[in-house]
Amino acid sequence: MAQVVQSMAKEAGFDVKIQLTEFATTLNLADKGQYEAFVLAWSGRADPDGNIYSHLVSKQPLNYAGYANAEFDKAITESRETNDAAQRAKLFEQAAKVEHRDRPIVYLYHRQWLWAHTNRLQGFRPVPDGMVRLQDLKLN
């Protein structure tokens, strides 16, 4: 992925240098803010909160971009305070509008999950986050 970005940036006149590190070092550098651009893969979560709160709410542990927006934080925090699905959807939509305007993170792609399994496996249901749920799985 870094090489693709490097190649595309070169076409636009930018000289991107790639620094490869093992994962623990990468996270350590990210925690310290010692990067100009940072690539992190995230499996995602079925509930939007798991994809948003820690990554984009002010001063949260995975908010490597240092994003801080009170309007965004308010919408996400309120979404955590209700069980009403329609209300949560409205709040996530409000937060998404703010995030799309501010663009604190550049999302490069979304992984397309491919699954293969024997016909003997029953109860498998693919979920957009790509994490396999073992409940209700049965091998006949």
Side-chain angles (χ1 to χ4, degrees):
M1 179 182 2
Q3 291 173 326
V4 170
V5 170
Q6 182 183 49
S7 176
M8 293 174 77
K10 185 175 185 176
E11 291 176 14
F14 296 94
D15 183 23
V16 173
K17 303 278 191 250
I18 300 170
Q19 179 184 353
L20 295 176
T21 59
E22 48 80 32
F23 193 58
T25 300
T26 300
L27 293 178
N28 187 35
L29 291 170
D31 284 339
K32 294 176 182 175
Q34 295 178 346
Y35 62 90
E36 291 181 18
F38 174 64
V39 176
L40 177 67
W42 181 252
S43 62
R45 299 293 178 264
D47 187 305
D49 182 80
N51 302 309
I52 298 170
Y53 191 83
S54 292
H55 294 273
L56 290 170
V57 170
S58 301
K59 299 181 181 174
Q60 290 304 303
L62 301 178
N63 185 349
Y64 298 125
Y67 183 56
N69 182 302
E71 181 183 3
F72 180 86
D73 291 356
K74 182 177 186 294
I76 295 301
T77 300
E78 287 180 10
S79 77
R80 298 180 125 208
E81 297 169 353
T82 181
N83 289 326
D84 182 283
Q87 180 62 21
R88 291 186 81 222
K90 265 186 178 176
L91 292 163
F92 286 130
E93 186 176 328
Q94 288 172 15
K97 286 179 182 175
V98 173
E99 181 197 0
H100 291 171
R101 180 191 67 220
D102 294 349
R103 302 263 184 221
I105 296 176
V106 176
Y107 299 94
L108 297 178
Y109 69 95
H110 185 273
R111 184 178 294 134
Q112 178 67 40
W113 295 102
L114 302 174
W115 302 103
H117 57 79
T118 176
N119 288 338
R120 293 175 43 218
L121 183 65
Q122 301 297 310
F124 176 79
R125 65 184 174 92
V127 180
D129 65 15
M131 299 181 91
V132 176
R133 290 358 187 242
L134 299 178
Q135 74 238 34
D136 300 324
L137 284 182
K138 184 172 126 185
L139 189 61
N140 293 327

